[in-house]
Amino acid sequence: MRHATALRTGLSALLVLGAWTAVGPSAASAAPTDSAELPASAALLSAMQRDLGLTEGQARTRLAQEKAATALEPKAQRAAGSAYGGSWFDSATGKLTVAVTDAGKAGAVRAAGAQTRIVEHSAAQLDATMKRIDALSAPDGVASWRVDPATSRVVVNVVGSAQGDNDVRAFVAKARKAGPVTVERTAEAPQTFAAGTVGGDPYYTGNVRCSIGFSVHGGFVTAGHCGGTGQQVRGWDNSYIGNFQGSSFPGDDYAWVNVGSGWWTVPVVLGWGTVPDQLVRGSSEAPIGASICRSGSTTRWHCGRVLAKNETVNYSQGAVHQMTKTSVCAQGGDSGGSFISGDQAQGVTSGGWGNCSSGGETWYQPINEILNRYGLRLHTA
């Protein structure tokens, strides 16, 4: 869907490619919020109904519950202390569940407002296992590995067709020696979502099309595989925007582009005419299990759930660490686009497998890591 020229030269100059209304996480209170107080747009509720199988009432309730869980998560982690084993949003109960290794800490966590589960390994122990596996060289048949707080193990995902490969078997054997590991099968290997130059509302580097991420003061953030430091960036109208000021891929998948030549930034997420353009108000991190939506210059707006955090994704170009996995689909050209929960920025689209016709999974690089890495400040309302 094309936009009016006036809109393009104004708000859409450096907007993220997605939209939500102001219903997102807030650190101000951990108390549950009445869903009637959350002014979700009809388009947002429709997308959640379509992609998550919810009724309108369930979608409104889910947004309120997730807002409360997001605000509660850091408080519950502090209550657990060194016994903290990770946390996730339980959609069945509508509450945050916190894994703890010490039953004596469970009471304090419940007093903070969360559910608890006793587990064998702390988050620190699982993170240490991840680092040891990250130091290994992974063959193409290994898709990714991540911390799973619900099972208190590191899960290594192997492409089904490569399970018998000798290099894959050798990697799995080494991974098991690194700590508590479970092996799971995945359908396909992940790939990045850059695309050759085609029409739409993108930005371009050479013959690659990607999607703008979130506006920061002085530019915007996006995926690192979309361009290297110093590369020139052109906008939807082929006019010069700026250059990549920093870019990291693989290892990480993030970058930032400076803005000039008549382009400027605003704290808005572009809705493509499907949902209203909305303001970005912060970057509070949504928990595992929370609903999340993604938009990009190819497939526009799609929703799903946060499936995992701290996952290492093994692309053909090399591994990328500390990614967040979602059940949201994406396709070529969506790379760099925004993942958002409520009015809170979450990250920029990196890659995945599948498509938006048959489904799939997509990973994003968390926004706060990008901001911290380059000393950037998110442009918020």
Side-chain angles (χ1 to χ4, degrees), residues 169-233:
R169 288 178 177 272
F171 178 88
V172 169
K174 292 177 182 178
R176 291 188 187 281
K177 294 179 180 179
V181 165
T182 296
V183 178
E184 293 184 358
R185 175 174 172 167
T186 188
E188 300 178 33
Q191 59 183 337
T192 56
F193 285 130
T197 299
V198 296
D201 235 356
Y203 75 85
Y204 302 90
T205 57
N207 66 341
V208 171
R209 171 170 64 86
C210 281
S211 300
I212 291 173
F214 292 92
S215 291
V216 296
H217 289 272
F220 65 85
V221 294
T222 187
H225 70 263
C226 291
T229 302
Q231 275 195 275
Q232 186 180 106
V233 173

Side-chain angles (χ1 to χ4, degrees), residues 18 40 53 58-59 67 107 140 171 188 201 235 258-259 265 273 292 296 313 322 337 350 358:
Q58 289 171 333
K67 180 177 181 179
D140 291 343
F171 178 88
E188 300 178 33
D201 235 356
N258 70 322
V259 172
T265 68
I292 194 167
V313 181
Q322 296 181 322
S350 175
S358 59

Side-chain angles (χ1 to χ4, degrees), residues 4-6 10 20 28 64 68 72 79 92 94 136 139 162 187 216 280 295 297-298 303 347 358 370:
T5 300
W20 285 56
L72 174 60
L136 303 176
V216 296
V280 176
S295 188
S297 61
T298 299
C303 299
S358 59
I370 308 173

Side-chain angles (χ1 to χ4, degrees), residues 137-158:
S137 178
D140 291 343
V142 177
S144 64
W145 51 97
R146 71 180 191 275
V147 169
D148 180 14
T151 61
S152 195
R153 303 184 74 80
V154 171
V155 177
V156 175
N157 291 292
V158 174

Side-chain angles (χ1 to χ4, degrees), residues 66-304:
E66 291 173 354
K67 180 177 181 179
T70 299
L72 174 60
E73 192 170 32
K75 180 180 179 181
Q77 181 174 351
R78 288 193 296 270
S82 61
Y84 179 72
S87 56
W88 62 94
F89 174 78
D90 186 343
S91 60
T93 63
K95 294 183 178 180
L96 183 73
T97 298
V98 176
V100 292
T101 58
D102 181 357
K105 292 288 188 177
V109 174
R110 288 194 293 270
Q115 300 175 143
T116 59
R117 178 182 296 183
I118 305 301
V119 296
E120 184 177 358
H121 306 288
S122 69
Q125 291 172 321
L126 295 175
D127 288 345
T129 299
M130 278 290 295
K131 289 182 179 179
R132 287 190 284 271
I133 299 176
D134 283 344
L136 303 176
S137 178
D140 291 343
V142 177
S144 64
W145 51 97
R146 71 180 191 275
V147 169
D148 180 14
T151 61
S152 195
R153 303 184 74 80
V154 171
V155 177
V156 175
N157 291 292
V158 174
V159 179
S161 60
Q163 285 182 306
D165 181 84
N166 288 335
D167 290 340
V168 170
R169 288 178 177 272
F171 178 88
V172 169
K174 292 177 182 178
R176 291 188 187 281
K177 294 179 180 179
V181 165
T182 296
V183 178
E184 293 184 358
R185 175 174 172 167
T186 188
E188 300 178 33
Q191 59 183 337
T192 56
F193 285 130
T197 299
V198 296
D201 235 356
Y203 75 85
Y204 302 90
T205 57
N207 66 341
V208 171
R209 171 170 64 86
C210 281
S211 300
I212 291 173
F214 292 92
S215 291
V216 296
H217 289 272
F220 65 85
V221 294
T222 187
H225 70 263
C226 291
T229 302
Q231 275 195 275
Q232 186 180 106
V233 173
R234 308 187 313 278
W236 63 270
D237 60 354
N238 207 38
S239 68
Y240 170 74
I241 295 177
N243 296 76
F244 279 85
Q245 299 299 301
S247 180
S248 180
F249 178 80
D252 309 295
D253 194 6
Y254 50 59
W256 82 280
V257 176
N258 70 322
V259 172
S261 302
W263 294 73
W264 65 90
T265 68
V266 288
V268 175
V269 171
L270 184 62
W272 292 93
T274 301
V275 294
D277 295 350
Q278 297 294 329
L279 298 176
V280 176
R281 299 187 182 277
S283 58
S284 296
E285 185 178 344
I288 294 172
S291 61
I292 194 167
C293 289
R294 179 205 56 73
S295 188
S297 61
T298 299
T299 59
R300 311 295 170 88
W301 184 264
H302 287 274
C303 299

